[in-house]
Amino acid sequence: MGLVIRKYSYINDRVASVDGRAIPVPAGEEKFLTALYRARRVDYPRFFKMDALSKLGFLASELIFEGDASRFTPRDHVAILCFNRSSSLESDAAYQATIRHGEEYFPSPSLFVYTLPNIVTAEIAIRNRLHGETAFYVLERFDPRALVGRVGEAFQDAATRAVLVAWVESFRDSREVFMMLVEKNDTIFDLPFSVESIVELLNRGRNG
Amino acid sequence: MDELILNLKREIIEVLNLEEVKPEEIEDDAPLFGEGLGLDSIDALELIVLMEKNYGIKLSDPAQGRELFKSIRVMATYIRDNRKK
């Protein structure tokens, strides 16, 4: 029985797609991620409190799970594994700016909350009531082999029947998330979860 | 007092990223936590920072916040009577 990609989504600063289909997002004064949130009619005010890294992960998971009738049923068998290169450096720097000067030393609790990258996995887990394994890995560079290897290990746990796996990066001008819902399956009609599939689907997302 | 209340509402919306809320939608006497704006514990800490940063009021005991943050009007009254900025 192999691993297959059941559904996938891609978002950067200008495009969004799910299963390769572009998501229409009206152009306006709002930032792209906020415009996407409104375009999908998501009702989750906590979104506005998130840092960009969590917004990316959250929205990618919304695109994966929207329309799923059982999405808010608590599930123990879905793991969440995220990867990136810059950890939570963007929020780390924003928080550091609030404690840089002795006379203006006002550490921000709401920024501090996001000074760990794995908060994005928690945001997704809380929203979707996913109680399986969660982990966040920081790599030197995008490495589809690492994703395939780690997801394979997650499935070694008999409790895991699906893995939400994402490359989610937010630092300076580099913002993107590529997320896949991976499951066990043995039909030949599904997209195999492999290095080749990951590279092909990621490039398809980037090209809009 | 009305001006202070309005400014306070604007500051709270900005610092807590309440993008979907307008100042006029926040009732002066409505509870800020639980019902009302539905703020959480991190928001409470952020309000404590706001009090110090914008008004020079240092709350040494976070439990004070429970009384102070009952409503916008309670907050504004405390700020009016204790502000150092």
Side-chain angles (χ1 to χ4, degrees), chain A residues 30 34 37-38 45-46 48-49 55 104 106-111 113, chain B residues 15-20 39-40 42-43 45-46 49 52-54 85:
Chain A
E30 286 188 315
T34 303
Y37 169 90
R38 297 196 197 284
R46 184 176 169 76
F48 296 106
K49 298 176 184 289
K55 282 180 177 172
E104 288 291 315
F106 297 108
S108 167
S110 57
L111 289 176
V113 166
Chain B
V15 78
L16 301 185
N17 292 317
L18 303 174
E19 291 196 22
E20 308 223 288
L39 306 184
D40 61 23
I42 299 297
D43 295 325
L45 294 173
E46 203 65 63
V49 174
E52 184 177 357
K53 188 175 181 180
N54 295 6
K85 283 187 185 176

